[in-house]
Amino acid sequence: MDITRVKESIERIENLSSTLGMEFLSTPEPDTCMARMKVDERNRQPFGFLSGGASLALAENLAGVASLALCPGKISVGINVSGSHLIAVEQGDTVTALARLMHKGRTLHQWLVEIRNEAGALVCSVQVTNYVLNARKDD
């Protein structure tokens, strides 16, 4: 997905992205979106591992940005997030999330998000369903 469209979408939801340390990246395929996040004090649990909640937030935020980029002028809200955490990631490592569009309907988008560590091992697999609707006039 073109990084320019992604950046325009990110500006609308900057808070969570910056709070957790997400960085969005360009992808060559139009129906994909990618982000990376360093595991640090912003997104780790007290034991020094990536928080499962931060992984799900990364996936939902990435899929939301991707839906916004696919549908300019609309808004996107996550209505279902379901993930499986497979391995732990220690503080200092960086995870990369790749969202692939599985279904693009008029009002529903289904994304499969794979989160991998620096070694390329699958850390977390997440399905995100977004509801796409017209923006309110005051948005």
Side-chain angles (χ1 to χ4, degrees), residues 35 41 59 61 66 70 78 97-98 102 105 111 129 137:
E41 65 283 345
N61 202 28
L70 287 177
L98 176 65
M102 305 307 287
W111 294 90
T129 304
K137 293 189 188 244

Side-chain angles (χ1 to χ4, degrees), residues 17-23 36-51 54 89-95:
S17 304
S18 58
T19 298
L20 293 179
M22 298 175 196
E23 176 189 3
R36 68 177 159 227
M37 182 173 71
K38 184 170 183 73
V39 180
D40 59 24
E41 65 283 345
R42 297 174 290 182
N43 52 43
R44 66 166 171 79
Q45 54 182 234
F47 312 109
F49 297 104
L50 176 63
S51 165
V89 181
E90 292 184 17
Q91 182 169 336
D93 200 348
T94 299
V95 293

Side-chain angles (χ1 to χ4, degrees), residues 5 22 26 38 41 43 50-51 68 81 110 114 125:
R5 287 179 69 184
M22 298 175 196
S26 248
K38 184 170 183 73
E41 65 283 345
N43 52 43
L50 176 63
S51 165
L68 287 173
V81 179
Q110 177 75 43
E114 291 184 343
S125 177

Side-chain angles (χ1 to χ4, degrees), residues 25-38:
L25 309 166
S26 248
T27 60
E29 300 88 19
D31 291 344
T32 64
C33 197
M34 186 182 287
R36 68 177 159 227
M37 182 173 71
K38 184 170 183 73

